[in-house]
Each structure stands twice: as structure tokens, then as C-alpha cells.
Amino acid sequence: MSGRIERSRSNGRPVAPSKGERLADWADGRIGLNALAKTQMRKVFPDHWSFMFGEICLYSFLILILTGVWLTLFFEPSNVEVVYEGPYEPLNGILMTRAYESTLEISMEVRGGLLIRQIHHWAALIFVVGMLVHMMRVFFTGAFRKPREVNWLFGWTLLMLGLITGLTGYSLPDDLLSGTGIRFAQGAILSVPVVGTYLSMFLFGGEFPGHDIIARLYPIHVLLLPGIMLGLVVAHLILVFYHKHTQFAGPGRTEKNVIGMPFMPIYMAKAGGFFFLVFGVLAVLGAVAQINPVWAIGPYRPDLVSTGAQPDWYLGFSEGLIRVMPGWEINLFGHTLALGVFIPFTLFPLIMMAIAVYPFIEAWITGDKREHHIADRPRNAPTRTGLGVAWLSLYGVLLIGGGNDIVATHLHLSINVITWFVRIAVFVVPVLAFVVTRRICLGLQHRDRDKALHGRESGIIKRLPHGEFIEVHEPLSQAQRHVLTAHEQTLPYELGPRRDANGVERRVKRSDRLRARLARAMYGPGTQVPKATAEEYRELQHGDGHH
């Protein structure tokens, strides 16, 4: 029998189902979505403000697709040169490509065109910001651990594709600023030994700037990369549903359950409202905050460079690497290797690759093969948190290097001083950030331990009969103590005795020795504060009663 529900009149006679019910029954009998919907639409999602970063990424991506489709109706990706004769008088009579002219038409002549352009650009920036912050939230809370390693790789791939999509889209208007950026990218490609020239000629269809670059970037930007990203987003969401969402420790929360709101109708209602909130913020930004005014920059010319040319913030990392690198060159067999460009060009993907493989490195160091659905508090993983902050500090230092000319002019400093500061800070600042962050985490662990044992400081001073002054502490609830003590503390991997019971020396592989050293560095003595135990708490409660 089908899953159709028979209704009855008040007199008990059955009522024939409506056309809509018959259609739904027919579709369910062939597709079978009813059973799937019953289980998945009631799936529970935890409620925490940090989980909203992923939603911002999703909604920004949807807005990018919507506004991008609209822009494709008016943009013409052509390198054909024309003479501008439009409403913007300062550019009248100027030779430019049809791509730049159509961008001006969208901005000046199409009703609502400038608003949509600016919403699209702001959405792109917020999309990348959201992905970075979302990945950092996942990193700092350990939400990348088994079984979510593959989903971490999906997110990392989305971030990398977002950077490339931003570069290709930024280059389409063919203004002087974007042309300078693509010239920068072409110079980095040329630094690749042996194949660099061939790659550049293939991409540009000849010598730079060529006549095909806009037409080639256009399908990559509007079709290829968004299509791949859309597939990854769908796969990412499917895995989120399949694995269930992580949650922070709390009363009743275990590795085998999720406490929160059902997907339908509560979570969907909140998500729908949040989508329109994000859309509204982007609309306000597009309306009042000018971004990428191509008409003020002018069309691209290979013999000119825009003053104060800066990439979008998410590419400042790579440009900072190249700007502060010494101009080293090596001549081999009549060929010049531009190491000052090639080394930074190689370092950027290597640094990003380290982020991609970190979950697998940590799993190998700990040897932990269990599933983890309870998120860590960052303070309870000091070494991991320190590494994350060190990476962010490196990004910030190189962002200064990527804008060294702007920093120099605005702060009235020498550009050479800034360049040397960045060169030194690249090695010093991440180390300092790591040490300071880990010390802060350990200090917070000490505070949590003290709070779990003694309670919260009340500010009330009490004098005891023998004259001693103490501060009265307010006891924590059982739920609050659970949050402070629910985390696990990983023990470092040990090699064990080097000789067996018969005195025979045991062979230890180099990989095991490396694993043991890394485990001691991450989880050894001095890297975590022992959490409060129930025995310590009971001993204090039955002690002198000062607290």
C-alpha cells in the first residue's frame, strides 16, 4: 500500500484525496523522498553564535551566484578595442577594451547596475572572510577531527577556489588596477623554471597582455570555478548532515547525541531570517560604501601602473611574500632563475597546504582513531591554538608587506624600513605569537581549574574569627563545573623502553621517534594544566571551609 492518508467526513465516509495529495503520493512512490524527509527534516542542530560563520559563507555564495547571473546579462568579455563615447565625460575619446566599456555601461547606464556590481564585490569579500573565519573556528575547536577530515579538505578547497575565483573576477573589468594585478600574476608564472614561459603563453594566448585573456578568464570565473564550488558546497552540507554537527560541552551533551533545535521548522525559520539579514547588510554596503570605482582608475595599459596598486586583502598574503623577498637571481646554462619571485610563489601554496594536512598530522601524532563530536575550547588545546594564531600573525605581517607602499605613505615611514621590518617579523612574530598565545591558554586553564575547585570570585571580603581576611567565592552549578572539566587531556605518545626484558635493543623507526618528539612538544610537560578532579573538589569542600 502507498503512504496515502485517507480522510473521513463527520459521517464516517471516506473523502477522496485532492489532486495535490495524489501528485505527492505518485512522486513519493517513484522517488521515495518521504521517508528521507521524515528523518532529515527533524535533524537537530546545536545553537551557538560561532556556528553562524558557516551560514554567512553559504548565504554570501548564493548572493554571489544571483548577482553574478544578473551581471552576465550585460557584461561583454571582449578584448576588442573601442573608443568610449558614453555619459562619463572624463573618459570620452579614450581607447579601451569592450570589457571595460561594458563595465562602465553597467555602472553608469544600466538601472541598478552599480548597486548590483557593488553587492557582488562586497559579497565576494565577505564570502572569503567568512570562509577563513569559519575554518579558523573549526581549527581552534578541533572540529576537523575524525570523521570530518574529508569535510575539512572540502572547506580548504573551497577557500583556495574562492581566492582564484576572486582573482579572475577582479580581472574581468580590465581596468588599470586589475590589469596591474594580472600582470603581477603573469610575472609570478614566468618565474617557474623551464615551463613558466610556456604556461604564460598558453594562458594569455601569446605575449602579455595578449588578445584572449578576458575571454578565457570569463568562462573560468562564471562557469568552471562556480560549478566546482557549488558541487563542493553541496557535498560539504551533505557531510554535515551525515556526520551531525559538533557541539560544545554541556549538561547532557555526549559524543553520541546532539542537543539543539530541529532543522524543520525552527532552524529553517532562523536560517531564512539570517539569510535576509546578510542580504540586507550586503545591499546597504553596496548602496553606501563605494568599492572598485573602475571609472576613476581608467582602462588598462601595459605601459602604466596604477598608483597604490593593492590586491584584495585575501591575496595580500602572496603579494607580501614577493614584495619583501630579496631579488635573488641565479644564472644557469644561459637561463636566469628569478628566485626572488619563484621562492615566494612556491611558499604560498606550501603554507596553505600545511593547513590542509594538519588534521592528518595531529591524528598521526596522537594516534587517536575515535570519532569526536564535542568541540574543544581553544584554551584546552594550547599548542594547536598557538599554531593557529601564529599562522594568522604571519598572514597579518605579510599583508603589511603586500601594502608596504600604502603603509609608508600614510604613516610617513620609509618603505625600506617597512620592508626590513616585514622581513624580520616573518620569522619573529609567528614565534612570539605562538609563545604568548600558549601562555595565555595555560593561564586560562589555571583560572578554570581554580574556578572549578573554589567557585567564582564574588568580591565580598569576610573576616574570620582569628582575624584572617578572605574573599567569599560563589559556588558554581554542576553544569558550570561540567563545562570547565569535561575536556580530555591527551597524553603524549611514548616510545617505551629501548631494550626488552632480555636486554636486546629494540629498533625504533625514525617516524616513531619524530612522532614521540612532536607529541612531547604538543602534549608533554608544561603544555597543559591538569584539570580539577572530583576528588580534589570533595577534599576542598570538606576542608577548612574558607571558600
Side-chain angles (χ1 to χ4, degrees):
M1 291 181 62
S2 67
R4 182 176 59 197
I5 300 176
E6 297 287 350
R7 296 179 299 172
S8 299
R9 292 194 183 96
S10 58
N11 57 12
R13 294 181 179 180
V15 178
S18 64
K19 291 183 179 180
E21 288 176 315
R22 290 199 301 270
L23 179 61
D25 187 64
W26 179 89
D28 183 58
R30 288 152 181 81
I31 303 176
L33 294 179
N34 184 50
L36 180 65
K38 280 185 177 180
T39 57
Q40 297 303 320
M41 292 299 100
R42 298 295 296 174
K43 197 171 186 69
V44 174
F45 280 80
D47 190 12
H48 193 271
W49 63 267
S50 66
F51 299 153
M52 297 169 66
F53 295 129
E55 295 183 47
I56 293 175
C57 299
L58 176 62
Y59 303 150
S60 301
F61 182 67
L62 294 177
I63 294 167
L64 277 170
I65 292 177
L66 294 174
T67 54
V69 169
W70 190 92
L71 290 172
T72 59
L73 302 177
F74 302 96
F75 180 73
E76 188 174 333
S78 173
N79 284 87
V80 174
E81 293 186 333
V82 297
V83 176
Y84 181 72
E85 296 178 355
Y88 189 66
E89 293 187 0
L91 290 178
N92 274 332
I94 301 296
L95 192 66
M96 61 184 64
T97 61
R98 178 60 188 142
Y100 183 73
E101 185 185 40
S102 65
T103 305
L104 293 178
E105 290 175 354
I106 293 173
S107 304
M108 305 288 180
E109 301 177 56
V110 177
R111 188 181 298 273
L114 181 59
L115 176 64
I116 300 298
R117 265 197 65 229
Q118 298 204 145
I119 291 176
H120 188 76
H121 203 126
W122 277 114
L125 293 179
I126 291 179
F127 175 56
V128 180
V129 170
M131 282 196 293
L132 181 61
V133 176
H134 177 59
M135 288 192 69
M136 289 296 100
R137 196 274 303 173
V138 172
F139 180 85
F140 287 130
T141 61
F144 53 77
R145 293 172 294 178
K146 184 182 178 181
R148 296 177 179 83
E149 301 97 332
V150 174
N151 226 7
W152 170 265
L153 292 178
F154 282 168
W156 180 87
T157 307
L158 279 169
L159 177 61
M160 294 299 294
L161 291 178
L163 301 183
I164 300 172
T165 307
L167 175 62
T168 56
Y170 190 77
S171 304
L172 288 179
D174 200 35
D175 58 282
L176 185 57
L177 185 59
S178 67
T180 302
I182 203 167
R183 176 61 162 172
F184 177 88
Q186 190 254 355
I189 293 172
L190 286 176
S191 69
V192 179
V194 183
V195 299
T197 303
Y198 299 100
L199 290 174
S200 175
M201 297 287 280
F202 172 77
L203 179 62
F204 292 90
E207 293 289 346
F208 181 86
H211 299 286
D212 301 326
I213 185 62
I214 301 298
R216 294 185 179 194
L217 291 178
Y218 183 72
I220 294 174
H221 178 74
V222 305
L223 184 62
L224 178 62
L225 295 178
I228 298 174
M229 294 175 70
L230 182 61
L232 288 173
V233 167
V234 172
H236 185 79
L237 294 177
I238 290 174
L239 287 180
V240 169
F241 267 79
Y242 177 72
H243 292 144
K244 72 185 181 184
H245 208 291
T246 57
Q247 58 185 347
F248 287 98
R253 298 176 182 178
T254 68
E255 298 284 1
K256 297 182 178 180
N257 69 353
V258 177
I259 296 179
M261 304 171 298
F263 184 69
M264 286 290 290
I266 300 176
Y267 189 84
M268 275 299 296
K270 294 179 69 174
F274 192 42
F275 169 78
F276 287 108
L277 179 62
V278 173
F279 206 157
V281 170
L282 288 172
V284 171
L285 285 173
V288 303
Q290 179 176 272
I291 189 170
N292 197 23
V294 295
W295 57 89
I297 301 172
Y300 178 66
R301 283 178 48 181
D303 58 330
L304 297 179
V305 175
S306 176
T307 302
Q310 302 294 317
D312 282 331
W313 69 270
Y314 48 83
L315 292 175
F317 183 99
S318 58
E319 182 153 341
L321 280 168
I322 293 180
R323 285 197 183 193
V324 303
M325 183 72 183
W328 295 341
E329 290 184 355
I330 296 178
N331 294 313
L332 291 175
F333 308 108
H335 298 277
T336 301
L337 298 180
L339 298 181
V341 179
F342 177 65
I343 291 178
F345 188 56
T346 307
L347 282 176
F348 176 72
L350 289 178
I351 294 173
M352 297 300 291
M353 187 63 68
I355 301 174
V357 301
Y358 180 84
F360 304 95
I361 295 175
E362 183 174 303
W364 173 67
I365 293 174
T366 60
D368 189 359
K369 301 184 183 301
R370 299 170 299 164
E371 290 192 359
H372 293 272
H373 303 289
I374 299 295
D376 289 334
R377 300 173 77 201
R379 67 185 64 181
N380 293 330
T383 303
R384 181 204 298 152
T385 303
L387 290 174
V389 173
W391 183 86
L392 290 175
S393 67
L394 175 64
Y395 199 105
V397 167
L398 291 174
L399 200 59
I400 296 174
N404 55 2
D405 52 341
I406 298 296
V407 176
T409 55
H410 281 66
L411 300 182
H412 307 289
L413 299 173
S414 168
I415 194 170
N416 291 328
V417 171
I418 296 173
T419 300
W420 274 105
F421 165 78
V422 174
R423 288 176 177 175
I424 297 171
V426 161
F427 300 98
V428 176
V429 170
V431 176
L432 288 177
F434 173 80
V435 173
V436 171
T437 301
R438 194 159 76 163
R439 293 301 304 170
I440 292 175
C441 290
L442 292 174
L444 292 174
Q445 286 188 34
H446 277 290
R447 190 182 72 172
D448 287 349
R449 173 181 169 83
D450 183 73
K451 188 184 296 184
L453 292 175
H454 304 289
R456 182 181 292 105
E457 296 177 355
S458 65
I460 300 174
I461 305 300
K462 180 179 178 181
R463 184 177 181 181
L464 299 179
H466 58 276
E468 179 186 357
F469 289 91
I470 64 169
E471 181 181 13
V472 178
H473 286 63
E474 297 177 356
L476 300 181
S477 65
Q478 187 175 358
Q480 292 171 324
R481 288 197 300 271
H482 174 77
V483 172
L484 297 178
T485 59
H487 61 281
E488 295 181 354
Q489 293 191 313
T490 304
L491 297 176
Y493 169 75
E494 297 289 347
L495 289 175
R498 298 297 297 270
R499 296 178 181 275
D500 60 18
N502 298 321
V504 179
E505 186 172 356
R506 180 170 58 91
R507 294 186 60 184
V508 180
K509 295 187 294 185
R510 291 182 180 179
S511 59
D512 289 337
R513 289 198 295 267
L514 175 61
R515 177 184 172 189
R517 292 193 189 100
L518 293 175
R520 282 196 300 272
M522 292 186 69
Y523 307 106
T527 61
Q528 50 191 352
V529 177
K531 63 182 181 180
T533 63
E535 292 76 13
E536 291 176 314
Y537 179 76
R538 285 192 292 267
E539 181 181 347
L540 281 173
Q541 293 303 308
H542 294 84
D544 54 16
H546 281 201
H547 300 283

